[in-house]
Amino acid sequence: MSHTSPSTYLVWTIMGGILLAFLLFHLWSFDRFKCLKWNNGPYSGAFKRVMTYSYLLSVPLLLSYSVGFTIIKYQQGFFDNNGQIIPTPSTMWPESAQRAIFPLTLAFSVGWGMEMISHLEELCFWLFLVNSGSVQQDWFRSWYFRTWIFGSVFAIIYMPLLTIFTRSDPLRMEAYTFLGGSLGSLSLTLWFIPILWAFPAFLASLKSEGVDTPTIVRLTKFHELNMIRIVFRFIFVIPFVILGVDGVRPHVHINESMFWTDFLTMVSAFGCCISSAITLVIFFPRSVEGEIAAKDAARAARRTRSHGGHPTASNYTAQNRDSRYSEYSQNNQYPLSSDIKQEYDDGLEVPQLPIMRPNRRRGEDVEMGGFTGLTEGNLSQHNLRPGNLNPLVHNFTSPIDLFDGERPPPTRLAFNQRQR
């Protein structure tokens, strides 16, 4: 803080502003901010609320920290220390600026604690998904979920306490805040490496079990995003580990060099913002197909109104169905299959039967028949058979889009109605 130049916090402010702008754009494109509502669809249980609001609140808290110190740093400028131009030390700041040090650092520590909640949940979830079999089917009754609860409570408590207990000395408060947060994030990042190492074999096992291709594609995409994000997580936490360790030692070396403090802090800003943006994409994956369907339905409705005509009963039913289908797809990230779509529209169970292809003789050979026309929903239901995979794999969309028992999802409700 006292050793870094004003441009360091300006870089943090610019990167934080870009991250906030990307967050707003992504959530608007995702579902027009519907995911921010307290009750948003059948999956808006306590777990998803905690994950959504803890992650989204961490961004403005980190941004407020960088904006506050940017203003103070540029107001105080530099100081001539026997011919050496250095940033003005915090001990020479006016009283109003010194009083702002603690609340800004506290906001930074709380935001960092909330970010660790998000990354710990992802770590526990991917461990659960890779290691669980068909016997252990409930994420909310697993030891991984309990580990996330305990770790989240610990993270949101110990980070602010570090700042509060060391607030008498601003330099010591900053050093311990950086060290405590960076060590916690570094441990979570290191635990991700075994998951990345085991994930290709996990994907191979999914293919051998006959999991449908869209699910394989989604998991492969998340695996690649996780690899990129882990690299930037290291870029974020390692500079803070260096600054924190050097700051708590009796004789500092790196923190007394304005070049190294500026370099490490600026590099950390890029790592933090880029990794957080990738986390946003993983938590709220957009469905381009659903967005295109919604735009087409809205365009067709505007065209009908502009012509001044009244659609027939059959056209009105189709338009109404398409609009509801598009809205449901936006809320659930991925479009519904044709069979579930029909059930959603009519409230009845109308199964879409696949087409049976008979055996055919081709000269001396016989071409074996089979079933064609299986939709993604039919494949998912077909894959829910006893095996070595957790059923959660077949309906996976996001690490936080999990059903936690408050009300059944529409697809499962329709399936239960069919059984009756």
Side-chain angles (χ1 to χ4, degrees):
M1 177 178 56
S2 294
H3 307 286
T4 54
S5 64
S7 58
T8 300
Y9 286 99
L10 181 60
V11 170
W12 268 89
T13 301
I14 293 174
M15 294 300 299
I18 294 175
L19 175 61
L20 182 61
F22 175 72
L23 185 148
L24 296 176
F25 168 78
H26 184 82
L27 294 183
W28 171 258
S29 302
F30 178 69
D31 61 356
R32 301 300 190 266
F33 300 127
K34 294 178 182 178
C35 60
L36 302 182
K37 296 180 180 179
W38 185 258
N39 293 316
N40 176 40
Y43 299 97
S44 59
F47 169 73
K48 188 174 183 179
R49 294 187 187 113
V50 170
M51 290 304 304
T52 300
Y53 299 134
S54 62
Y55 173 76
L56 297 180
L57 287 176
S58 66
V59 176
L61 287 174
L62 297 178
L63 183 60
S64 63
Y65 167 81
S66 59
V67 170
F69 275 112
T70 299
I71 297 174
I72 295 175
K73 279 286 188 175
Y74 274 101
Q75 288 178 345
Q76 304 308 316
F78 292 85
F79 174 74
D80 187 359
N81 184 23
N82 297 326
Q84 182 183 8
I85 305 300
I86 62 173
T88 304
S90 59
T91 55
M92 301 179 62
W93 292 358
E95 184 179 356
S96 59
Q98 292 189 22
R99 286 199 304 265
I101 296 176
F102 171 67
L104 290 176
T105 308
L106 183 62
F108 180 76
S109 63
V110 172
W112 202 338
M114 289 183 175
E115 189 181 34
M116 281 193 283
I117 291 176
S118 303
H119 291 285
L120 177 61
E121 186 274 337
E122 276 197 286
L123 172 64
C124 294
F125 174 79
W126 291 117
L127 286 173
F128 166 79
L129 196 66
V130 171
N131 297 323
S132 63
S134 59
V135 176
Q136 187 182 19
Q137 299 182 3
D138 193 354
W139 149 257
F140 295 99
R141 290 182 175 88
S142 65
W143 284 103
Y144 299 98
F145 179 72
R146 298 173 187 175
T147 301
W148 170 73
I149 293 178
F150 175 79
S152 299
V153 173
F154 179 74
I156 203 62
I157 291 178
Y158 95 91
M159 281 299 296
L161 288 181
L162 277 178
T163 305
I164 294 172
F165 290 154
T166 57
R167 67 183 182 276
S168 58
D169 185 355
L171 294 179
R172 184 166 170 261
M173 175 182 64
E174 181 190 42
Y176 276 97
T177 300
F178 286 175
L179 182 61
S182 59
L183 289 179
S185 295
L186 180 62
S187 62
L188 296 178
T189 307
L190 290 174
W191 269 103
F192 255 102
I193 295 179
I195 299 177
L196 299 180
W197 182 267
F199 216 82
F202 174 67
L203 292 175
S205 67
L206 296 185
K207 295 179 182 178
S208 65
E209 290 283 340
V211 177
D212 54 292
T213 301
T215 301
I216 299 292
V217 171
R218 286 196 291 269
L219 290 172
T220 303
K221 180 184 69 173
F222 288 133
H223 173 57
E224 295 177 352
L225 289 175
N226 276 325
M227 289 192 297
I228 299 173
R229 189 185 58 168
I230 290 305
V231 173
F232 284 100
R233 289 295 297 174
F234 279 116
I235 295 176
F236 166 47
V237 299
I238 290 179
F240 275 128
V241 171
I242 297 174
L243 294 173
V245 171
D246 186 72
V248 299
R249 295 171 64 249
H251 301 286
V252 296
H253 300 284
I254 298 178
N255 283 280
E256 290 181 351
S257 172
M258 188 170 63
F259 168 77
W260 284 112
T261 53
D262 285 3
F263 174 75
L264 292 174
T265 309
M266 289 180 182
V267 167
S268 180
F270 284 93
C272 176
C273 295
I274 295 177
S275 63
S276 296
I278 297 177
T279 301
L280 177 67
V281 174
I282 294 176
F283 279 2
F284 302 96
R286 292 174 57 186
S287 172
V288 179
E289 295 87 349
E291 295 173 9
I292 294 176
K295 291 180 181 179
D296 291 342
R299 190 180 299 110
R302 288 195 299 268
R303 189 182 301 113
T304 302
R305 289 194 299 267
S306 63
H307 291 165
H310 298 282
T312 62
S314 59
N315 291 337
Y316 178 80
T317 303
Q319 293 174 4
N320 190 33
R321 178 196 62 206
D322 291 339
S323 63
R324 285 187 291 166
Y325 166 56
S326 302
E327 180 181 359
Y328 191 89
S329 300
Q330 287 289 328
N331 291 336
N332 292 272
Q333 292 85 49
Y334 294 97
L336 295 172
S337 58
S338 59
D339 53 346
I340 304 299
K341 175 182 174 182
Q342 184 69 34
E343 293 171 356
Y344 178 75
D345 288 339
D346 303 337
L348 301 174
E349 57 283 357
V350 184
Q352 301 292 320
L353 298 178
I355 301 174
M356 183 176 180
R357 186 177 67 254
N359 298 340
R360 299 181 184 276
R361 181 178 294 277
R362 301 294 184 184
E364 296 181 356
D365 299 328
V366 176
E367 179 185 355
M368 303 302 296
F371 290 97
T372 60
L374 286 177
T375 63
E376 181 180 343
N378 288 328
L379 284 172
S380 298
Q381 293 296 333
H382 172 266
N383 288 331
L384 289 177
R385 63 186 186 275
N388 298 322
L389 296 177
N390 192 303
L392 182 63
V393 173
H394 304 286
N395 296 319
F396 173 79
T397 56
S398 167
I400 66 173
D401 193 16
L402 304 173
F403 174 55
D404 57 0
E406 290 194 0
R407 69 184 107 169
T411 56
R412 181 63 62 192
L413 179 61
F415 181 78
N416 292 339
Q417 290 177 347
R418 182 183 304 169
Q419 294 300 103
R420 299 193 188 101

